[in-house]
Amino acid sequence: MLEFLKSWYERKFSDPHSVTLFLLLIALVASLYFVGSLIIPVLVALVIAYLLEWPVLKLQNLGLARLTACTSVMLLFAGVMVASFLTMVPVLWQQSANLLQEAPSMLEQGKSFLMHLPDRYPELINAQQIQGIVSNVENKVLEFGQQILSFSLTSLKDVVAWMIYLILVPLLVFFMLKDKNELTSGIETFLPKQRRLISQVWHEMNQQIMNYIRGKVIEIVIIGGASFIAFAIFDLRYAALLGVLVGLSVLIPFVGAALVTIPVAAVALFQFGLAPEFWYLLIAYGVIQALDGNVLVPLLFSEAVDLNPVYIIVAVLFFGGLWGFWGVFFAIPLASLVRALLNAWTTEEAQKDEVTG
């Protein structure tokens, strides 16, 4: 066993380039784990910079200077964000407030529906089971309400920090875009000279991350917009709020769609009961989810994602447990990074075997 481990170590880490790549990876993971919460504005700015790099490159290809292209894209992006904020936030706020006011009535109606199930289907379920389900739901609702209250109280002191972020993040994005070459050159000066594998992995991942972030934003807009239109056609209450939730649910592969189905079905059941409109709405929602998984995702991520669903789910659980929201958001790129690292080490080992052979 010791000989096997020794042989494996010599194959993988006898090359200085492999050691450099491994040490850099350990340093990055440790930095994100211990100080990740302190550099959230930088992470947000980095994501937005990756998103806006594509239109900047397109404008440069049309003949504009880098500074002019960056300024134009930033102004357009800021205008879209301000317009979206002014038009969507008041509607979402009002619908959220109305939903919270009607939540007790919805819970009572759901409780009444569940309590009558033993009378309709005595062979499938009994009153004790229903009572246990109701008690668990009520406890979860109370815990959720306490979390919202504590969050609202603690978030008051963060208002100043959010105001600072609203100024810092756009500035960071602008300078990341404008000074991209200078920043990357500066980072390279801190890296060791033995960085062939680092360059290989970086070139493989850079375009994938750009495609992934751009694809996710497009997917959120399309799925959220299509869901809102479908809900509005059926005159479903809180259509805008539920549409936004459905759009954001695509950030969590596979799991997000299942979770957001619960509020959609609950609101529809409260409004329509078991009438045909309820089932038609669920069918329309299911069609949107099916088109997302079978048409939109392969179309948007064919170049960025080529992973088995099992690996994706494991990556979401693992990286989400480490870094919360950002771990979930970057679960697929991080899983792709792990695969790129393994490919780099495997390729390096194969080249060694060819040389020695």
Side-chain angles (χ1 to χ4, degrees):
M1 184 65 180
L2 291 177
E3 290 296 328
F4 173 77
L5 293 176
K6 181 180 178 181
S7 175
W8 177 85
Y9 175 81
E10 290 177 350
R11 290 199 313 270
K12 298 295 183 183
F13 298 103
S14 59
D15 186 1
H17 297 273
S18 299
V19 176
T20 302
L21 177 62
F22 179 75
L23 293 177
L24 178 63
L25 181 63
I26 294 297
L28 287 176
V29 171
S31 300
L32 289 174
Y33 183 77
F34 290 108
V35 300
S37 60
L38 302 178
I39 58 173
I40 288 178
V42 179
L43 293 176
V44 174
L46 188 60
V47 170
I48 298 175
Y50 262 109
L51 175 65
L52 300 183
E53 176 66 14
W54 182 77
V56 168
L57 291 177
K58 292 298 181 181
L59 290 179
Q60 280 190 281
N61 292 336
L62 294 176
L64 293 181
R66 179 80 183 183
L67 178 59
T68 305
C70 293
T71 304
S72 302
V73 170
M74 281 297 301
L75 290 175
L76 179 60
F77 177 76
V80 171
M81 289 295 100
V82 171
S84 301
F85 183 85
L86 294 178
T87 55
M88 293 181 61
V89 169
V91 176
L92 296 178
W93 181 268
Q94 185 62 45
Q95 291 193 2
S96 300
N98 293 339
L99 180 59
L100 289 176
Q101 291 178 356
E102 290 193 358
S105 300
M106 296 175 65
L107 291 175
E108 285 299 324
Q109 183 173 333
K111 180 179 178 180
S112 176
F113 175 78
L114 291 175
M115 296 301 292
H116 285 85
L117 286 179
D119 299 332
R120 299 177 182 176
Y121 311 103
E123 68 280 0
L124 298 178
I125 196 167
N126 56 53
Q128 288 76 15
Q129 292 174 326
I130 291 297
Q131 190 61 45
I133 294 174
V134 170
S135 299
N136 289 332
V137 171
E138 290 177 346
N139 292 333
K140 293 296 182 182
V141 171
L142 289 175
E143 292 178 4
F144 181 69
Q146 292 174 353
Q147 291 176 357
I148 292 178
L149 180 61
S150 61
F151 174 78
S152 62
L153 292 176
T154 56
S155 61
L156 292 177
K157 63 182 182 181
D158 298 330
V159 173
V160 176
W162 279 103
M163 295 299 294
I164 295 175
Y165 291 166
L166 288 176
I167 299 174
L168 286 180
V169 170
L171 289 175
L172 284 172
V173 172
F174 177 75
F175 287 111
M176 285 179 178
L177 290 173
K178 183 177 76 70
D179 302 326
K180 174 187 173 182
N181 295 330
E182 290 82 352
L183 291 173
T184 53
S185 300
I187 293 175
E188 288 179 355
T189 59
F190 291 97
L191 296 177
K193 295 181 179 180
Q194 296 82 7
R195 55 173 184 261
R196 183 181 67 255
L197 291 182
I198 295 176
S199 300
Q200 177 183 336
V201 172
W202 166 251
H203 289 306
E204 182 177 344
M205 290 302 302
N206 185 42
Q207 191 63 38
Q208 284 195 13
I209 293 175
M210 186 186 300
N211 292 338
Y212 176 77
I213 293 176
R214 187 176 70 245
K216 271 300 173 186
V217 173
I218 295 174
E219 185 185 9
I220 289 172
V221 173
I222 292 177
I223 296 302
S227 300
F228 168 72
I229 293 173
F231 297 156
I233 290 174
F234 284 95
D235 197 24
L236 183 68
R237 298 178 187 174
Y238 321 116
L241 178 61
L242 294 175
V244 170
L245 291 178
V246 174
L248 295 177
S249 69
V250 304
L251 293 174
I252 309 177
F254 307 110
V255 181
L259 291 177
V260 81
T261 301
I262 298 175
V264 171
V267 172
L269 183 63
F270 176 74
Q271 181 174 343
F272 302 120
L274 293 177
E277 290 84 356
F278 172 76
W279 303 108
Y280 294 154
L281 178 74
L282 290 187
I283 291 173
Y285 173 74
V287 169
I288 292 173
Q289 293 294 340
L291 291 176
D292 176 38
N294 296 286
V295 178
L296 190 60
V297 169
L299 184 64
L300 292 175
F301 302 105
S302 59
E303 299 180 0
V305 179
D306 186 19
L307 296 170
N308 188 281
V310 174
Y311 299 150
I312 294 176
I313 294 174
V314 172
V316 168
L317 295 175
F318 179 76
F319 294 114
L322 281 179
W323 299 310
F325 169 79
W326 291 111
V328 171
F329 183 81
F330 285 110
I332 293 178
L334 288 170
S336 299
L337 172 61
V338 173
R339 185 182 62 179
L341 293 171
L342 295 177
N343 290 339
W345 272 314
T346 303
T347 303
E348 186 74 9
E349 182 180 354
Q351 292 175 349
K352 288 181 185 177
D353 294 338
E354 290 178 2
V355 172
T356 56

